[in-house]
């Protein structure tokens, strides 16, 4: 006998839960390769035509805010990363633009302003890449079955008259509550006084 002790068995490491920051802070692996190989047709410049708010945050603090308030990664949100400029574009339901008025390094894209978004059906490029994609819009037949509002000829009444490449047609507002994002970024609740009309 040599007097050797058997090696200690190490407990298996528990998996580290994914966070917005770890998944989307900097493109890695296959995602990085896809974005690097993107063509000029991978993104589109579209006009913000109202009906929703587009908030532009610094990328790292924006992702950290999503982690802070524990926004589920699997839920459908409209989040677009601009890795070239270090920005996170968040498309949410309209009515909360004034919430961001005095938050440093945050701006709201005005109606008529222009935004770069991923082309439909793709991941985009380093200039505009999906971080989270909301569920697709319902088709006219699905919307009618749900009791939605459609024009006589089957058009979505909220989209009638819009250009086919307008922001509202290409990107729907996601499920993210702008107040939660504000709370994660600023560190205090969004109060009624904050959102004065």
């Amino acid at each position: 006998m040599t007097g050797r002790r058997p090696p200690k068995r190490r407990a298996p490491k528990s998996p580290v839960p994914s966070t917005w920051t770890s998944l989307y802070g900097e493109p890695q692996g296959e995602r990085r390769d896809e974005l690097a190989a993107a063509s000029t047709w991978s993104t589109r410049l579209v006009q913000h035509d109202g009906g929703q708010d587009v908030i532009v945050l610094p990328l790292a603090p924006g992702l950290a805010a999503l982690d802070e308030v524990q926004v589920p990664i699997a839920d459908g949100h409209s989040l677009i990363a601009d890795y070239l400029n270090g920005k996170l574009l968040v498309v949410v339901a309209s009515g909360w633009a004034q919430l961001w008025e005095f938050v440093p390094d945050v701006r709201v894209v005005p109606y008529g302003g222009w935004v770069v978004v991923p082309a439909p059906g793709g991941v985009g490029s380093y200039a505009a890449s999906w971080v989270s994609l909301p569920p697709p819009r319902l088709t006219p037949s699905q919307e009618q079955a749900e009791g939605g509002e459609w024009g006589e000829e089957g058009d979505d009444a909220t989209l009638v008259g819009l250009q086919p490449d307008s922001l509202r047609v290409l990107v729907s507002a996601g499920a993210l509550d702008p107040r939660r994002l504000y709370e994660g970024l600023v560190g205090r609740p969004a109060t009624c006084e904050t959102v004065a009309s």
Side-chain angles (χ1 to χ4, degrees):
M1 296 196 159
T2 61
R4 290 185 179 171
R5 292 185 182 172
K8 287 186 177 180
R9 293 186 184 192
R10 294 182 180 175
K13 291 184 179 181
S14 58
V16 177
S18 296
T19 63
W20 289 99
T21 303
S22 66
L23 289 174
Y24 301 108
E26 184 62 36
Q28 308 262 335
E30 190 177 312
R31 179 174 170 81
R32 180 189 60 226
D33 297 341
E34 283 180 326
L35 296 178
S39 73
T40 55
W41 303 106
S42 300
T43 57
R44 288 191 178 171
L45 182 64
V46 296
Q47 192 167 26
H48 180 18
D49 47 13
Q52 54 203 9
D53 289 341
V54 181
I55 305 159
V56 182
L57 311 164
L59 181 64
L63 293 173
L66 295 171
D67 288 331
E68 177 68 28
V69 293
Q70 300 176 349
V71 173
I73 293 172
D75 289 359
H77 310 290
S78 284
L79 303 174
I80 300 170
D82 174 355
Y83 291 110
L84 294 178
N85 296 300
K87 302 292 182 187
L88 179 67
L89 279 74
V90 183
V91 182
V92 293
S94 65
W96 296 96
Q98 65 272 30
L99 182 66
W100 304 95
E101 191 173 2
F102 299 107
V103 180
D105 300 322
V106 175
R107 68 182 181 89
V108 177
V109 177
Y111 294 163
W114 294 86
V115 223
V116 178
V117 299
V123 295
S125 71
Y126 272 98
S129 171
W130 283 115
V131 171
S132 178
L133 181 63
R137 291 187 183 280
L138 296 176
T139 64
S141 58
Q142 291 171 324
E143 186 74 18
Q144 285 175 335
E146 303 260 335
E149 218 180 282
W150 286 86
E152 290 181 358
E153 297 176 18
D155 292 328
D156 180 348
T158 63
L159 302 178
V160 172
L162 295 176
Q163 298 296 324
D165 60 348
S166 71
L167 181 66
R168 203 168 0 152
V169 170
L170 295 176
V171 181
S172 63
L176 181 60
D177 181 354
R179 293 171 294 191
R180 289 188 67 204
L181 181 61
Y182 176 90
E183 291 168 2
L185 190 67
V186 176
R188 64 177 186 270
T191 61
C192 293
E193 293 80 36
T194 307
V195 188
S197 356

